[in-house]
Amino acid sequence: MWQLTSPTTQRGVLNFSASGQSPMTVNQLYDGRTQLINAVECVNWGEATLQFIVCEACGYPGCQSQGWVALRRAGSLAFIMPAFQAMEDDHQEYGPPPYLLEQGVLFLEQEIYTQTLCNLIACPDFDSIAPLSRWEAAKIFQFEAPGRILGDLLTSPHLPQDRVLASSAGNFMEQTVGLNTLLSELLSQNHPVELHKLMALDQVVEFYLDLAGISAWKALRDDGRYYSLYLEPGYVIETPSMRHCPG
């Protein structure tokens, strides 16, 4: 995942002549040089699934495929993530913008969301954003995993035992089973999930992988009693019922 800390807007002009319309001056949302929304005024705000990259020939959401996101919240964090539920119905139509594919799920603190982002664009109030579900948290974990090692996004995430060669601490075979158990439990429930920051005494367990070009993956948090799923940079997916005791 990557964090949005200083969103900005720039003015842009979309040439709608191909659709018989006049050019339109729009606001475009950026994080540094990365364009997050190409026409703030054209986003289908208020709907469950939002198209952040709309057709630049007409500005109508849904005219072109891809560029879709979902907004979610968990604790004090807001997430801009792939529209996983819509992708289950039509992954070619509802695929995410390129920047999510390249850099992962985007998150921001509630203060930045409410005091900065909401003052720049017409995004929904923080409290009105749908909570991140446990199923969606499992899909984020799958999306963030290196080299699609947990399988294609249209399948249930699962870590093959034979792709893990060792771990930085503990019994890697038991840890692999534990990770898959945690994922299965998340996928079976659609209740809101909790995310919290890594604590000072927590240990991050790194898997050493049989995966071309990728040798290691920080996948689990060990607090000395339980394992939990770990997301870079420094967040833990956890609810009391999700905990799995290490061997």
Side-chain angles (χ1 to χ4, degrees), residues 129-199:
I129 300 173
L132 182 70
S133 72
R134 296 177 184 180
W135 181 87
E136 289 170 328
K139 299 305 288 186
I140 287 178
F141 190 77
Q142 182 181 26
F143 184 71
E144 294 287 319
R148 292 289 179 261
I149 195 168
L150 297 181
D152 185 89
L153 284 175
L154 299 181
T155 65
S156 294
H158 179 82
L159 178 60
Q161 182 77 66
D162 61 359
R163 303 303 293 275
V164 182
L165 304 176
S167 69
S168 57
N171 185 318
F172 74 92
M173 297 184 70
E174 291 182 358
Q175 290 164 344
T176 303
V177 172
L179 183 145
N180 285 325
T181 299
L182 290 170
L183 283 172
S184 295
E185 291 176 347
L186 284 172
L187 290 168
S188 68
Q189 303 181 49
N190 216 29
H191 304 301
V193 73
E194 298 176 11
L195 269 75
H196 63 76
K197 290 185 177 180
L198 199 69
M199 305 295 288

Side-chain angles (χ1 to χ4, degrees), residues 9-208:
T9 55
Q10 299 179 19
R11 302 289 279 177
V13 177
L14 300 186
N15 184 358
F16 290 162
S17 60
S19 59
Q21 303 178 77
S22 301
M24 180 179 179
T25 300
V26 297
N27 289 296
Q28 300 175 327
L29 183 68
Y30 281 83
D31 174 43
R33 295 184 178 181
T34 302
Q35 186 186 85
L36 305 178
I37 301 178
N38 66 342
V40 170
E41 295 82 356
C42 297
V43 174
N44 54 319
W45 300 109
E47 298 185 18
T49 304
L50 306 173
Q51 192 169 33
F52 272 14
I53 305 297
V54 298
C55 173
E56 296 195 354
C58 69
Y60 291 112
C63 175
Q64 69 177 20
S65 60
Q66 311 294 309
W68 294 86
V69 306
L71 296 182
R72 293 292 185 269
R73 62 179 171 87
S76 64
L77 299 178
F79 297 88
I80 300 172
M81 66 183 202
F84 295 116
Q85 291 178 327
M87 289 173 65
E88 292 272 302
D89 297 327
D90 190 338
H91 70 282
Q92 293 183 336
E93 172 65 28
Y94 291 104
Y99 56 82
L100 292 186
L101 293 172
E102 295 166 2
Q103 302 183 63
V105 169
L106 183 60
F107 73 96
L108 57 163
E109 293 284 351
Q110 181 176 357
E111 182 179 1
I112 298 297
Y113 184 90
T114 57
Q115 297 185 15
T116 303
L117 191 63
C118 287
N119 287 329
L120 291 173
I121 64 175
C123 53
D125 293 339
F126 184 84
D127 290 338
S128 69
I129 300 173
L132 182 70
S133 72
R134 296 177 184 180
W135 181 87
E136 289 170 328
K139 299 305 288 186
I140 287 178
F141 190 77
Q142 182 181 26
F143 184 71
E144 294 287 319
R148 292 289 179 261
I149 195 168
L150 297 181
D152 185 89
L153 284 175
L154 299 181
T155 65
S156 294
H158 179 82
L159 178 60
Q161 182 77 66
D162 61 359
R163 303 303 293 275
V164 182
L165 304 176
S167 69
S168 57
N171 185 318
F172 74 92
M173 297 184 70
E174 291 182 358
Q175 290 164 344
T176 303
V177 172
L179 183 145
N180 285 325
T181 299
L182 290 170
L183 283 172
S184 295
E185 291 176 347
L186 284 172
L187 290 168
S188 68
Q189 303 181 49
N190 216 29
H191 304 301
V193 73
E194 298 176 11
L195 269 75
H196 63 76
K197 290 185 177 180
L198 199 69
M199 305 295 288
L201 296 180
D202 289 343
Q203 181 179 15
V204 176
V205 176
E206 197 167 16
F207 285 163
Y208 303 117

